[in-house]
Amino acid sequence: MTETIDRALDRVRVVSWLQRYGVYAAVVVLFAFNAVFTPHFLAADNFRTQLVQVAPIVIVALGMALVIGTEGIDLSVGSVMALAASMVALYLGYGALPAIAMALLAGALVGAAGGVLVAVVGVQPIVATLALLVGVRGLANVFLPQLREFTNPTLVAIGSDSVAGVPIVVLVAVVLVAAVAFLVRRTTFGRQLVAVGGNRTASRLSGLPVRRILLTVYVLAGVLAAVAGVLATSRLQASDPTSLGLFMELSAITAVVVGGTPLTGGRVRVLGTVMGALLMQLLQATLIKHNLPQSWTQMAQAVIILAAVYAARERR
Amino acid sequence: MLETDGVRKAFPGVTALDGVSFSLGTGEVHALVGENGAGKSTLIKVLTGVYRADAGQVRYRGEPVSFASPLDAQRAGIATIYQEVNLVPQMSVARNLFLGREPRGRFGLIDFAAMRERAGEVLRGYGIGSDVRRPLGSLGLGAQQMVALARAIEAHAQVVVMDEPTSSLQPREVDRLFRAIGDLRGQGRSVVYVSHRLEELYRICDRVTVLRDGRLVHTGPLAGLDRLRLISLMLGRDLDAVRSEGLTRFAERARSHAAPLLRATNLSRRHVLDEVSLAVRPGEIVGLGGLLGSGRSETAKAIAGALPLDSGGVSVAGEAVPPGSVGSAIRAGINLLPEDRKAEGIVATLSVRENIALAALPRLSRAGIVSEGDVDRVVDRFMRRLRIKAAGPGQPVGELSGGNQQKVLLARWLAMNPRVLLLDEPTRGIDVGAKAEVQVLIDELAEEGLAVLLISSDLEELVEGSQRVVVLRDGAVVGELSGADVTEEKIMAAIAGTTDD
């Protein structure tokens, strides 16, 4: 009888360990597999490529994690990236910095629009941001109907230069991860955000500025998406509002969910989100390097998403 | 009919049930009692398929069973009515009543007309005359509970498990409930009855099982078991101590004559509140009496800034509180302990620590950054002072028993150094031991000079706790009793509208 108890407790422990560290373990396993079986995997160049590719996803996913932590969702992030790209192209004449500033401002405005719809008007997040997903992509195309290349040295440098061997794009992502982790763990705002996601009525009755918190969260998600848009644009050395950031919202949600942040809100896992994004990237790279078609990657990703959701189920 | 044999269930950090063997006979009403955290809820959840036992056996009609889900148990004929109603508030009353077994018409589609007609008929039998097309959530809690009960009985359950079924019912509704239980017994169906109200147990139950700290400490016939003996079994304290300390824990206190600290003037909101005025002095506990729906909770919410008003105002120590904002009320020192702990109080996903610190966070921060040391000190202080039973400050608050959750919420407000406490049913659904602790605490707080407004459906608590009682009916003040006039009879007379003033 004691044996069954031990086994039951073991199972509980295994599941809760998987919830907490499963995504880390998966990244380690995949990494080890590649280190052994994939030629040139351990080369610095390969790392650099992989990280540069994943950086924008990580940045967008950070904002997504915050929104999901409040029991919301932000589908507009991909379109915000496109809007940021067209802003860069429009204002590049005034120099790189004003162009970037305008792009971030545009991201903040779209975020504020989503935030007002959700927090003040009371529209459901998925509906409010779906409207923005469609509308903002259109707006980006109105500002800049087709792809425009540029040669601005500052912007090109942001996209392709490295500091001490680390690409600037990756550095920006690292700094933002640290900043968001700090925001969630150590600041009053971060704690309140999670409480609002956990129980909005209780938070309101406890005197938390619920509307302001929600509004701020959507603005942050918008700005982070705009940063990702600027970085992706400078790497392309072209503004491409038609296709930049397409399906980005789905990649970001995937990273957040695989990273162990529940869609029901009340919890934000920042490092888990980063790992979720890395896992998806690594998976894709592995299958490509072993000459398996893209369709396989998609199916493998589906399996991982389901596994993550299974592990995140309510404990019984 | 239904029994368990040596059932064990452990959660990370706690053993909730430790070798419990419980047996429910056919046509028996069986009381299940114990303090918070004694394991009653866990046992119920094991019986009804919510949890699976780690060890031991559950037998139903003599056969070992292992229900995979509550639905599984329900199909087998075991229905549960939980403390907090868990039906679908957005769906209509009729749909809730027939959820999962809707009458079907042609092509297997739901026959809504038949469903509504049948629902109306059934519910009138339980004294609910409201339109069955209304969403369930628009009914009062008591009515919702009756719908849940009607649903279980209509589903031909052989075993009905009731967890605190009367906590939000009016006396009239309680009578109706007891009649329904009597009918069940007459038909050879069995009831597991969990309640903290001892009179009810003696009125309706045949046998009793007492749990304490996850173990079974007593089981046997209820008749002949002395009330104090039962309490001492639950508390694990000896009889003399219980006898000398009495049943409620409010101390006698002299009337305060200081100027009112809290003053609410002519609070009005169409169809809800009608010119409600009241005042509470520092060090005074003022009870707010009245039936469910009389505007008690609404008055508290209005004072706390959580209910927009058409007119009227609130002042603390003579200074007007800006209306319609919870934030300004809290800044003025007004704190509300809401009625619905689960929906409006705790943040279940967060730890005990985060829940206690929630409201006080801005004060425990510097430049927007939380000062963890300050939080730890505050949390530690109140966990000790309120004797909150938890594996540690990091335990998710959702895992605690009701009484401990309530203490966490009290701690949340005490951390704010409040001046006015509005307590809406502070001891509802918590066990005898924790209830006494909360009552002592309320007393202590008043002693320290807080103004306390106490809402309670428990007349005994209202009478013993308050120096004055303001009675509401239909959203308006219909009487105010003080001194020797604060008795259960006078309050009931005021509610019934038979006072002579």
Side-chain angles (χ1 to χ4, degrees):
Chain A
M1 195 183 277
T2 39
E3 209 173 286
T4 50
I5 295 168
D6 287 347
R7 217 178 296 149
L9 281 181
D10 274 353
R11 209 179 144 262
V12 169
R13 243 177 264 144
V14 166
V15 170
S16 83
W17 188 88
L18 273 180
Q19 275 178 11
R20 216 163 296 162
Y21 305 111
V23 65
Y24 299 87
V27 168
V28 169
V29 167
L30 209 51
F31 190 91
F33 172 86
N34 278 300
V36 176
F37 294 105
T38 310
H40 313 299
F41 178 76
L42 290 175
D45 262 356
N46 179 43
F47 280 146
R48 211 171 289 146
T49 318
Q50 299 296 336
L51 290 176
V52 165
Q53 280 177 8
V54 83
I57 300 177
V58 167
I59 295 171
V60 173
L62 287 174
M64 187 67 78
L66 295 179
V67 175
I68 287 177
T70 64
E71 214 180 344
I73 199 144
D74 187 353
L75 298 182
S76 70
V77 287
S79 301
V80 169
M81 287 177 72
L83 183 64
S86 44
M87 284 298 158
V88 166
L90 282 186
Y91 291 93
L92 205 52
Y94 300 95
L97 286 182
I100 292 173
M102 286 309 290
L104 300 191
L105 181 66
L109 285 177
V110 174
V116 166
L117 284 175
V118 171
V120 182
V121 184
V123 183
Q124 284 175 348
I126 194 165
V127 179
T129 58
L130 181 61
L132 289 173
L133 161 84
V134 179
V136 172
R137 173 75 59 182
L139 193 65
N141 279 317
V142 169
F143 285 138
L144 187 72
Q146 65 229 351
L147 185 139
R148 186 189 291 174
E149 296 183 16
F150 53 77
T151 53
N152 180 296
T154 318
L155 221 49
V156 171
I158 290 175
S160 20
D161 278 10
S162 295
V163 175
V166 185
I168 291 177
V169 177
V170 176
L171 278 179
V172 172
V174 169
V175 169
L176 289 175
V177 168
V180 171
F182 183 81
L183 184 79
V184 170
R185 285 191 203 155
R186 295 301 314 276
T187 66
T188 319
F189 173 77
R191 302 288 179 89
Q192 291 181 332
L193 173 168
V194 172
V196 168
N199 187 341
R200 192 176 297 186
T201 313
S203 301
R204 193 174 69 89
L205 287 178
S206 296
L208 269 57
V210 174
R211 281 183 187 179
R212 203 175 70 209
I213 291 166
L214 286 176
L215 189 63
T216 314
V217 163
Y218 283 89
V219 169
L220 282 177
V223 171
L224 285 167
V227 171
V230 169
L231 293 182
T233 299
S234 43
R235 201 159 67 83
L236 276 176
Q237 306 190 4
S239 286
D240 180 11
T242 314
S243 59
L244 186 76
L246 273 183
F247 300 115
M248 182 54 107
E249 61 286 342
L250 300 185
S251 306
I253 295 169
T254 305
V256 173
V257 170
V258 170
T261 302
L263 282 175
T264 44
R267 196 165 296 163
V268 177
R269 299 190 55 196
V270 177
L271 279 188
T273 300
V274 175
M275 287 296 150
L278 281 182
L279 180 61
M280 289 310 187
Q281 177 71 23
L282 210 50
L283 186 71
Q284 192 168 9
T286 309
L287 297 180
I288 290 172
K289 290 255 163 68
H290 289 268
N291 291 322
L292 291 166
Q294 171 72 13
S295 46
W296 281 59
T297 313
Q298 289 164 341
M299 285 187 282
Q301 285 177 336
V303 170
I304 289 191
I305 293 172
L306 289 178
V309 172
Y310 177 80
R313 281 182 327 163
E314 285 287 309
R315 249 180 294 165
R316 284 258 160 114
Chain B
M1 178 71 88
L2 183 65
E3 51 187 344
T4 70
D5 187 10
V7 160
R8 214 189 112 92
K9 175 80 195 171
F11 296 105
V14 261
T15 304
L17 287 179
D18 195 359
V20 171
S21 301
F22 165 84
S23 151
L24 174 71
T26 305
E28 175 184 86
V29 181
H30 196 129
L32 185 61
V33 297
E35 279 217 74
N36 278 329
K40 291 167 308 198
S41 302
T42 314
L43 180 58
I44 290 177
K45 286 183 177 165
V46 169
L47 288 175
T48 56
V50 179
Y51 294 149
R52 288 218 217 169
D54 296 339
Q57 209 176 41
V58 179
R59 279 192 296 274
Y60 178 50
R61 294 170 164 171
E63 302 283 320
V65 286
S66 171
F67 298 121
S69 68
L71 190 66
D72 225 20
Q74 237 173 58
R75 286 211 183 100
I78 301 177
T80 322
I81 301 161
Y82 282 108
Q83 217 162 340
E84 282 100 1
V85 179
N86 42 5
L87 292 173
V88 190
Q90 297 89 346
M91 289 192 355
S92 73
V93 172
R95 289 216 64 177
N96 270 290
L97 191 63
F98 289 101
L99 204 60
R101 36 179 203 91
E102 291 87 352
R104 302 285 169 163
R106 257 181 294 172
F107 314 119
L109 298 177
I110 297 176
D111 183 348
F112 280 101
M115 184 165 82
R116 278 198 290 270
E117 195 175 322
R118 177 97 188 88
E121 238 168 73
V122 169
L123 290 177
R124 268 190 298 279
Y126 295 90
I128 296 172
S130 57
D131 186 350
V132 296
R133 283 168 301 187
R134 276 171 62 187
L136 180 75
S138 68
L139 267 57
L141 262 183
Q144 291 191 29
Q145 199 122 30
M146 290 306 276
V147 173
L149 176 72
R151 175 181 153 75
I153 294 175
E154 289 302 307
H156 302 293
Q158 287 307 304
V159 175
V160 181
V161 180
M162 302 184 184
D163 191 354
E164 290 281 346
T166 57
S167 57
S168 42
L169 298 190
Q170 302 299 329
R172 207 159 30 97
E173 295 170 318
V174 173
D175 289 342
R176 216 172 271 130
L177 173 73
F178 284 2
R179 264 205 306 278
I181 292 177
D183 290 348
L184 285 174
R185 175 163 39 197
Q187 296 157 8
R189 290 145 94 174
S190 314
V191 174
V192 178
Y193 192 90
V194 179
S195 178
H196 296 116
R197 299 188 176 172
L198 299 183
E199 313 90 88
E200 291 180 359
L201 301 184
Y202 281 96
R203 252 179 84 186
I204 195 75
C205 296
D206 306 312
R207 292 210 303 149
V208 62
T209 290
V210 183
L211 294 178
R212 190 168 73 229
D213 299 332
R215 291 199 178 79
L216 191 145
V217 292
H218 176 86
T219 185
L222 191 59
L225 181 67
D226 184 54
R227 211 166 131 157
L228 283 176
R229 168 92 186 117
L230 180 60
I231 293 173
S232 76
L233 280 169
M234 288 161 67
L235 298 181
R237 279 195 271 153
D238 70 71
L239 270 177
D240 292 334
V242 176
R243 198 169 283 135
S244 65
E245 287 166 26
L247 289 181
T248 66
R249 295 303 177 75
F250 291 109
E252 288 291 314
R253 200 161 344 94
R255 254 188 94 181
S256 155
H257 294 284
L261 184 57
L262 170 73
R263 200 187 271 283
T265 321
N266 297 332
L267 305 177
S268 297
R269 180 179 161 82
R270 237 166 95 79
H271 302 311
V272 181
L273 295 177
D274 182 16
E275 309 259 303
V276 173
S277 298
L278 54 86
V280 189
R281 298 187 173 86
E284 192 180 37
I285 302 176
V286 170
L288 204 51
L291 300 177
L292 273 178
S294 61
R296 297 175 313 184
S297 299
E298 289 75 10
T299 302
K301 281 207 165 137
I303 296 174
L307 182 79
L309 288 171
D310 298 333
S311 65
V314 174
S315 70
V316 172
E319 285 193 34
V321 180
S325 147
V326 179
S328 355
I330 288 175
R331 272 189 294 281
I334 301 177
N335 294 158
L336 167 72
L337 193 75
E339 179 184 14
D340 194 336
R341 212 161 42 223
K342 195 163 100 182
E344 307 188 318
I346 62 166
V347 185
T349 47
L350 296 184
S351 64
V352 171
R353 181 180 187 270
E354 298 299 319
N355 268 282
I356 292 178
L358 185 64
L361 264 184
R363 301 179 184 197
L364 300 171
S365 306
R366 274 182 276 277
I369 293 166
V370 178
S371 157
E372 305 293 347
D374 289 353
V375 173
D376 283 335
R377 268 190 293 282
V378 166
V379 169
D380 184 61
R381 192 166 108 227
F382 288 108
M383 280 186 75
R384 271 169 212 266
R385 170 157 184 205
L386 306 192
R387 282 191 293 270
I388 295 172
K389 262 186 240 163
Q395 190 179 15
V397 79
E399 293 177 5
L400 301 190
S401 62
N404 280 305
Q405 290 182 356
Q406 192 69 291
K407 289 188 196 170
V408 166
L409 292 180
L410 268 171
R412 180 188 291 168
W413 290 128
L414 296 186
M416 299 290 288
N417 297 318
R419 303 168 75 185
V420 176
L421 269 182
L422 314 172
L423 306 174
D424 196 350
E425 300 282 3
T427 64
R428 177 161 117 192
I430 69 180
D431 69 78
V432 181
K435 194 164 171 170
E437 284 184 63
V438 169
Q439 288 167 344
V440 169
L441 189 77
I442 295 171
D443 239 14
E444 278 176 25
L445 293 170
E447 204 67 42
E448 287 166 19
L450 265 70
V452 179
L453 187 69
L454 175 68
I455 298 176
S456 179
S457 299
D458 181 347
L459 277 184
E460 193 177 53
E461 180 171 272
L462 206 59
V463 167
E464 296 196 14
S466 332
Q467 279 94 57
R468 278 190 301 133
V469 174
V470 173
V471 180
L472 295 179
R473 191 175 63 225
D474 299 332
V477 177
V478 292
E480 186 177 326
L481 307 165
S482 61
D485 280 348
V486 181
T487 64
E488 296 191 21
E489 292 72 31
K490 294 245 163 99
I491 294 176
M492 285 192 281
I495 290 172
T498 53
T499 39
D500 35 31
D501 50 12

